[in-house]
Amino acid sequence: MITCHWTYKLAPAKVADFEDYATAWIPLVERFGGTHHGYVLPHEGPHDLAFAAFSFPSLAAYEIYRTESAADSDCNAAYDFAVRTKCILRYDRHFLRPVLEGDVAGVRGQQA
């Protein structure tokens, strides 16, 4: 599994526009076989940062999503909305590997 984590720098006066953009992408990612873990929007503290994460079974599956979503009219409409409203000033994308199960015994064996 591969998880894509996004950090967005938002135009502070455009958070509501970004929320509209975000709610459009959740079903779009799922349409292409991904699992969207949601967006986290500003509430307290800095009002210009937001985060999102979604997963695909593999990097190859993510690449298929990228190719197919680039040709999808709903995906293009969501992207065009962000461009038109200028709600996103910049973003960073990171590919991560999730750890989903715990094992206390692993750290106990490491004690000196």
Side-chain angles (χ1 to χ4, degrees):
M1 178 183 291
I2 186 104
T3 298
C4 188
H5 179 271
W6 296 72
T7 300
Y8 296 93
K9 182 168 177 59
L10 306 179
K14 303 280 187 160
V15 173
D17 288 332
F18 180 80
E19 187 168 357
D20 290 342
Y21 167 83
T23 59
W25 273 106
I26 292 170
L28 293 173
V29 166
E30 293 173 352
R31 178 190 300 174
F32 292 97
T35 301
H36 208 295
H37 306 294
Y39 287 81
V40 182
L41 303 180
H43 182 67
E44 293 288 331
H47 58 284
D48 64 345
L49 294 177
F51 306 93
F54 55 85
S55 298
F56 280 87
S58 66
L59 186 56
Y62 173 79
E63 291 300 333
I64 292 168
Y65 151 76
R66 292 270 303 184
T67 300
E68 292 180 355
S69 67
D72 183 86
S73 61
D74 292 332
C75 293
N76 286 320
Y79 175 77
D80 291 345
F81 176 82
V83 170
R84 187 173 65 256
T85 62
K86 299 179 180 168
C87 60
I88 300 170
L89 301 177
R90 65 167 284 184
Y91 63 86
D92 294 308
R93 178 181 63 185
H94 302 276
F95 293 98
L96 306 167
R97 177 180 52 87
V99 176
L100 301 173
E101 295 180 11
D103 183 6
V104 175
V107 293
R108 287 188 182 160
Q110 300 294 323
Q111 293 177 351

